[in-house]
Amino acid sequence: MSHRKFEAPRHGSLQYLPKKRTRHHRGRMRSFPKDLDPSAPAALTAFVGYKAGMTHVVREIERPGAKMIHKKDCVEAVTILETPPMTVVGVVGYVETPHGLRTLTTVWAEHLSDEVKRRFYKNWYRSKRKAFTKYAKKYSEKAQDIDFELNRIKEYCGVVRVLAHTQIRKVKLRQKVAHLCEIQVNGGSVSDKVDFAKDLFEQDFNVDSVFSLGETVDICSATRGHGTQGVISRWGVTRLPRKSHRGLRKVGCIGAWHPSRCRFTLARAGQKGYHHRTEINKRIMRIGKKGDTNDCSTETDLTEKSITPVGGFPHYGEINEDWLMIKGCVGGSRKRAVTLRKSIVTTTKRSHHEPLNIKFIDTSSKYGHGRFQTLEEKNKFLGTLASKSN
């Protein structure tokens, strides 16, 4: 029986097995922050945005005791998420059972937009588009049925969540189908939560009503897919020596003679990427508002500019709605729906509580080695192009 000449830890984590394509294109929230304060006002705990791209900022670090970076400028990568307003179209009540939460009833709003109705059809073009027409008549003919279901939620339920969808038409993507999700309501009594949800029916709410500047959030998303990959790329195992027979990007031994099968812990080729991942405690660096052409200027950089870089974000375009700036990277490709949730794990890192002190936000072109922060600056330096002189 052979033995290893050198001991080493295994390559790759077994935590996320099986490594297969996720069924949840939009990030799925499997849990919400605990509702511990009934005296607090009712509030929503999540939001859905769309990944636009990345840029970088320069900020001054205030971290006493850190000799290398305290009171010094630091360049940090940030991700931009476009977050158009979401619309509330329903409320769901859950009963707590020994086996977990169980849905008691769902109450929908009277009017639903075509964006969310498309979500209920396989083929919108060929359909009769009659969804919710009978349900909407309850509001005019049997309003007492709606009130009865809302009172059932108040009487029996312990968890209340609203049904909200994105306004994907405002993002200028090719998709027309809105992303629908449940968002938990925390704070207040159950009666207060139901009244809060009922008042939001058919109303829009913005991202700044859910999150605040400097807050840490959890991000649920599907990572960027890479198709089928081998063991080197998928698991990070070491290549075999150069003179190895029949290739070297392999695992040298895939197991003993007996038991005559491969173990599940063995690194094998297969799907890489497009996995559902939740990243906790990502900090919000800035919140931008729709129509603000000066939302990227700072105290040290007074240039009037918006977040859209020169030439737009690659493979995305311009940002015309509200947006968030998240420190670091966010899983997923551009245009992908990303779910943001209030943090479940309490932040303990000192860097999550230090002042932001953003001095500069880069808006140069992301298609090459950008030199100019705005088109006006570019035209002033280069002059009028010959093709546009007439």
Side-chain angles (χ1 to χ4, degrees):
M1 183 177 177
S2 62
H3 65 280
R4 295 191 63 150
K5 190 172 183 180
F6 301 105
E7 297 299 326
R10 67 161 289 112
H11 289 274
S13 173
L14 300 177
Q15 183 176 5
Y16 301 108
L17 290 181
K19 284 192 173 184
K20 58 191 291 187
R21 291 171 58 84
T22 180
R23 293 181 293 115
H24 311 286
H25 181 78
R26 173 190 57 78
R28 176 191 172 201
M29 294 169 286
R30 292 182 172 88
S31 57
F32 287 90
K34 290 184 178 180
D35 188 12
L36 302 175
D37 189 4
S39 61
L44 300 175
T45 56
F47 205 87
V48 177
Y50 296 91
K51 182 176 176 179
M54 295 188 71
T55 184
H56 68 266
V57 300
V58 177
R59 72 185 192 96
E60 184 181 2
I61 306 295
E62 286 190 25
R63 202 172 299 167
K67 298 180 181 179
M68 296 293 292
I69 59 174
H70 180 52
K71 291 294 183 181
K72 293 183 180 178
D73 292 346
C74 181
V75 178
E76 292 181 343
V78 293
T79 302
I80 308 301
L81 304 177
E82 191 167 11
T83 53
M86 296 184 69
T87 306
V88 176
V89 291
V91 60
V92 187
Y94 287 90
V95 178
E96 296 176 355
T97 70
H99 306 290
L101 296 177
R102 179 180 64 84
T103 308
L104 179 70
T105 186
T106 302
V107 178
W108 293 87
E110 183 177 2
H111 303 102
L112 271 67
S113 66
D114 286 348
E115 287 177 310
V116 69
K117 284 183 181 179
R118 284 175 180 267
R119 179 58 64 182
F120 308 120
Y121 285 93
K122 188 73 173 177
N123 190 328
W124 175 258
Y125 175 75
R126 293 183 181 275
S127 67
K128 296 181 180 179
R129 307 176 189 181
K130 303 280 285 182
F132 287 92
T133 52
K134 291 183 179 179
Y135 189 91
K137 291 181 181 178
K138 288 185 178 181
Y139 279 88
S140 57
E141 299 175 0
K142 296 182 179 180
Q144 65 274 13
D145 291 355
I146 301 295
D147 296 333
F148 175 75
E149 294 298 329
L150 290 173
N151 290 328
R152 282 183 69 205
I153 297 176
K154 292 180 181 180
E155 184 176 354
Y156 298 111
C157 293
V159 174
V160 178
R161 295 175 183 171
V162 299
L163 285 158
H165 70 83
T166 60
Q167 299 184 41
I168 199 167
R169 289 275 188 174
K170 294 186 175 182
V171 192
K172 309 299 183 186
L173 301 180
R174 297 179 66 181
Q175 184 173 332
K176 301 176 183 178
V177 185
H179 290 95
L180 180 68
C181 68
E182 290 185 5
I183 300 176
Q184 186 161 305
V185 181
N186 281 359
S189 63
V190 175
S191 180
D192 295 337
K193 293 174 185 175
V194 176
D195 293 337
F196 173 79
K198 180 69 167 59
D199 293 339
L200 280 178
F201 275 11
E202 302 176 31
Q203 302 294 319
D204 296 346
F205 63 96
N206 297 317
V207 67
D208 58 359
S209 65
V210 181
F211 303 117
S212 58
L213 184 65
E215 185 179 355
T216 56
V217 297
D218 299 339
I219 295 181
C220 309
S221 63
T223 62
R224 181 181 296 188
H226 298 281
T228 302
Q229 295 290 331
V231 290
I232 305 296
S233 174
R234 193 180 187 218
W235 292 97
V237 301
T238 306
R239 294 192 309 164
L240 296 176
R242 182 186 62 83
K243 297 178 70 175
S244 297
H245 186 48
R246 291 181 179 172
L248 51 82
R249 296 179 64 87
K250 300 172 179 289
V251 174
C253 176
I254 63 171
W257 193 306
H258 289 291
S260 54
R261 67 189 71 91
C262 289
R263 296 185 179 184
F264 79 94
T265 58
L266 180 66
R268 303 292 272 170
Q271 174 69 30
K272 179 187 176 185
Y274 201 64
H275 309 306
H276 186 279
R277 296 290 181 265
T278 300
E279 198 167 4
I280 66 171
N281 294 342
K282 307 284 285 185
R283 199 172 187 200
I284 297 176
M285 305 286 281
R286 180 161 289 205
I287 300 177
K289 298 296 293 181
K290 175 184 177 181
D292 188 358
T293 59
N294 198 25
D295 51 9
C296 277
S297 62
T298 62
E299 293 182 358
T300 56
D301 178 26
L302 300 177
T303 307
E304 185 174 326
K305 57 184 181 179
S306 62
I307 189 61
T308 304
V310 176
F313 282 103
H315 307 283
Y316 188 87
E318 298 180 353
I319 288 184
N320 300 308
E321 298 293 325
D322 298 350
W323 53 271
L324 287 182
M325 179 187 291
I326 305 293
K327 180 181 176 181
C329 59
V330 170
S333 62
R334 287 156 295 221
K335 304 180 184 178
R336 184 160 294 173
V338 174
T339 304
L340 301 100
R341 177 190 64 194
K342 284 187 175 291
S343 291
I344 287 183
V345 181
T346 305
T347 57
T348 56
K349 294 180 66 174
R350 188 168 52 155
S351 59
H352 287 153
H353 303 283
E354 63 189 21
L356 296 175
N357 296 339
I358 296 178
K359 289 187 173 183
F360 170 76
I361 300 173
D362 180 61
T363 57
S364 63
S365 175
K366 305 303 174 189
Y367 281 95
H369 302 286
R371 295 173 58 190
F372 309 102
Q373 295 295 312
T374 60
L375 281 174
E376 292 76 14
E377 182 184 338
K378 179 181 179 180
N379 295 334
K380 184 178 180 181
F381 182 83
L382 296 178
T384 306
L385 296 176
S387 60
K388 299 182 178 180
S389 60
N390 296 329

